[in-house]
């Protein structure tokens, strides 16, 4: 009789594997941006992006790959990143931060990820989201219309 060992998210590549590797992360990111593009509640967040979301999709997919313990694709293709500084040109307030988290949570729900994985990931994603909001607060003159390159 063997006991199945549950993954310990955050250890080695357990989070990356639980997401379904690069293919799973790509599905999450695509669903996230589809939701951001269509939900009226995400309009402020959507307005921070240009018309073409292809580069944003690629950058988030590559970032999440490394962040979840998989291949460090963002660094390979774009160099090192500091998430709060990379977003410091934007005006990120509580509403836009929560909108981002909401779209990600909905994407995970709609893709039927297990609740323990979804809860873990949302808890971890809330940390950089709040750091981005705080960094934005250091630059009160930023207009909400500036976009993510």
């Amino acid at each position: 009789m063997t006991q199945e060992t549950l993954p310990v998210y955050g250890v080695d590549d357990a989070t990356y594997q639980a997401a379904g590797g690069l293919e799973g992360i790509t599905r999450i990111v695509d669903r996230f941006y589809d939701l951001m593009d269509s939900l009226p509640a995400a309009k402020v967040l959507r307005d921070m992006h240009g018309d073409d979301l292809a580069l944003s999709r690629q950058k988030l997919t590559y970032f999440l790959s490394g962040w979840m313990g998989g291949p460090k694709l963002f660094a390979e293709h774009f160099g090192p990143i500091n998430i709060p500084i990379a977003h410091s040109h934007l005006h990120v307030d509580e509403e836009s931060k929560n909108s981002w988290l909401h779209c990600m949570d909905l994407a995970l729900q709609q893709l039927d990820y297990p609740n323990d994985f979804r809860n873990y990931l949302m808890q971890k994603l809330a940390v950089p989201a709040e750091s981005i909001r705080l960094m934005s607060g250091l630059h009160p003159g930023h207009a909400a219309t500036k976009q993510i390159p």
Side-chain angles (χ1 to χ4, degrees), residues 89-105:
H89 65 285
L90 300 169
H91 175 73
V92 177
D93 58 11
E94 196 72 27
E95 177 188 1
S96 52
K97 177 193 87 168
N98 289 339
S99 182
W100 193 98
L101 291 168
H102 178 69
C103 288
M104 184 57 73
D105 193 38

Side-chain angles (χ1 to χ4, degrees), residues 5-16 18 68 116-117 120:
T5 304
L6 296 175
V8 179
Y9 305 128
V11 174
D12 298 324
D13 69 346
T15 306
Y16 179 79
M68 290 184 185
D116 67 325
F117 177 71
Y120 169 82

Side-chain angles (χ1 to χ4, degrees), residues 19-149:
L22 189 58
E23 184 178 312
I25 291 170
T26 301
R27 279 194 306 272
I28 293 168
V29 168
D30 284 343
R31 189 69 199 125
F32 166 82
Y33 278 109
D34 290 347
L35 288 163
M36 186 189 75
D37 206 25
S38 64
L39 293 175
K43 182 179 177 357
V44 170
L45 180 63
R46 178 60 180 94
D47 288 347
M48 291 181 185
H49 295 75
D51 292 336
D52 184 357
L53 294 172
L55 184 58
S56 292
R57 288 174 190 259
Q58 181 184 34
K59 284 183 171 184
L60 183 56
T61 299
Y62 285 3
F63 171 76
L64 289 176
S65 173
W67 188 77
M68 290 184 185
K72 309 285 188 231
L73 299 173
F74 191 96
E76 287 177 25
H77 292 269
F78 300 105
I81 186 171
N82 178 305
I83 291 297
I85 291 173
H87 292 84
S88 66
H89 65 285
L90 300 169
H91 175 73
V92 177
D93 58 11
E94 196 72 27
E95 177 188 1
S96 52
K97 177 193 87 168
N98 289 339
S99 182
W100 193 98
L101 291 168
H102 178 69
C103 288
M104 184 57 73
D105 193 38
L106 277 178
L108 294 167
Q109 288 177 48
Q110 291 178 4
L111 293 171
D112 290 326
Y113 281 94
N115 283 337
D116 67 325
F117 177 71
R118 184 176 60 84
N119 292 334
Y120 169 82
L121 204 55
M122 293 310 301
Q123 180 182 17
K124 293 299 181 184
L125 287 169
V127 174
E130 179 63 8
S131 294
I132 291 167
R133 186 192 69 77
L134 291 171
M135 178 64 75
S136 175
L138 296 176
H139 306 282
H142 286 148
T145 57
K146 288 192 178 180
Q147 296 182 340
I148 294 173

